[in-house]
Amino acid sequence: MTTMTEPTTQTLDVPGATLTYDVRKTDSSAPVLMLIGWPMGAGGFVTLASHFPDRTVVTYDPRGVERSAKADPARPSTPEEHADDLHRIIAALGAGPVDLFASSGGAVNALALVAAHPERVRTLVAHEPPLAAILPDREGAMAATQAIADTYQRGGFGPAMAQFIVAVGHKGPMTLDYAAQPAPDPAMFGLPTQDDGTRTDPLLGQNIVTCTHYEPDFEALRAASTRIVLAAGVESEGQMAYRGAFAAAERLDTTPVSFPSGHGGFLGGEYGQVGDPDAFATKLREVLAES
């Protein structure tokens, strides 16, 4: 019988940042299970981690997010940088190949990790990567994410986040006309209407373009020893991240696995959002058991 300990927090200095990660350790001989997102940090995986008391579970804050400070918070980060960060954390754990559940932008970063360091990951479950650059409507989808970044630079957090919320929920192809629409009124979403002058938001300022415009190295991924599973939420059909899972799966000659709920299906109240974490964890456990 295994017992999960309370999480211990550790830090790791990497080029340009200090990473903070949490380890919930057990005496299990099973591979370490990493749960990652982007821009979501470790705080988004508390509920999901609690469903795996029989595994050592590691969560972390990506560079520039919450507790992981960047030397230059205004500079964009790339999936390759995030992948190198993950590579360094796994090496610091000394845990051998890990099982990795990665959601949203974290799934993009995880694909970059596996392409560069397949020996670090036994099984990757890549949940809804927002890979605009590989969609059939890539021109419009990439323009839509670029428009959000441009709105942020012009008008700050409120308008850009409102535009992001609308884009995330959009179902179906994105056209250039869609991307050219003005940002909605942030007050409609309870967001600030005044610009505070900062331009260091991890999502809107540092990563939204580099993440969504990233094209994975599918040749390297097909050659990798890692088992790669693309996952999509049943309630996300038609959305960019859902379609990104299908587009990536097609490039890898595989079929996405359906997961319960939507993009945040594993959330159990974190950040005020509730998915279906019990069913989500059950599905994740089933998928990992197939390794």
Side-chain angles (χ1 to χ4, degrees), residues 56-99:
T56 293
V57 177
V58 177
T59 57
Y60 93 122
D61 294 336
R63 62 169 57 212
V65 172
E66 298 181 19
R67 302 167 298 170
S68 291
K70 284 175 61 174
D72 181 0
R75 188 182 69 82
S77 297
T78 65
E80 290 90 350
E81 280 184 308
H82 290 297
D84 186 63
D85 291 345
L86 291 164
H87 164 64
R88 291 169 185 267
I89 289 174
I90 296 169
L93 292 169
V98 302
D99 285 342

Side-chain angles (χ1 to χ4, degrees), residues 55-161:
R55 302 281 293 264
T56 293
V57 177
V58 177
T59 57
Y60 93 122
D61 294 336
R63 62 169 57 212
V65 172
E66 298 181 19
R67 302 167 298 170
S68 291
K70 284 175 61 174
D72 181 0
R75 188 182 69 82
S77 297
T78 65
E80 290 90 350
E81 280 184 308
H82 290 297
D84 186 63
D85 291 345
L86 291 164
H87 164 64
R88 291 169 185 267
I89 289 174
I90 296 169
L93 292 169
V98 302
D99 285 342
L100 178 57
F101 170 78
S103 187
S104 193
V108 176
N109 300 337
L111 289 168
L113 168 66
V114 169
H117 299 286
E119 75 283 357
R120 292 296 187 195
V121 183
R122 186 184 75 142
T123 296
L124 165 62
V125 180
H127 179 250
E128 299 201 358
L131 292 165
I134 66 169
L135 297 178
D137 52 314
R138 68 187 303 271
E139 187 176 8
M142 292 170 70
T145 57
Q146 181 66 58
I148 295 167
D150 294 343
T151 296
Y152 180 62
Q153 294 303 321
R154 287 194 306 269
F157 178 82
M161 182 55 71

Side-chain angles (χ1 to χ4, degrees), residues 6 13 19 21 35 48 52 61-62 65 67 70 76-77 99-100 116 125 141-142 166 177 185 195 202 217 234 256:
E6 290 297 314
D13 290 330
L19 304 175
Y21 62 100
L35 308 175
L48 186 57
F52 291 88
D61 294 336
V65 172
R67 302 167 298 170
K70 284 175 61 174
S77 297
D99 285 342
L100 178 57
V125 180
M142 292 170 70
V166 172
D177 287 342
D185 181 358
D195 183 359
D217 184 344
V234 295

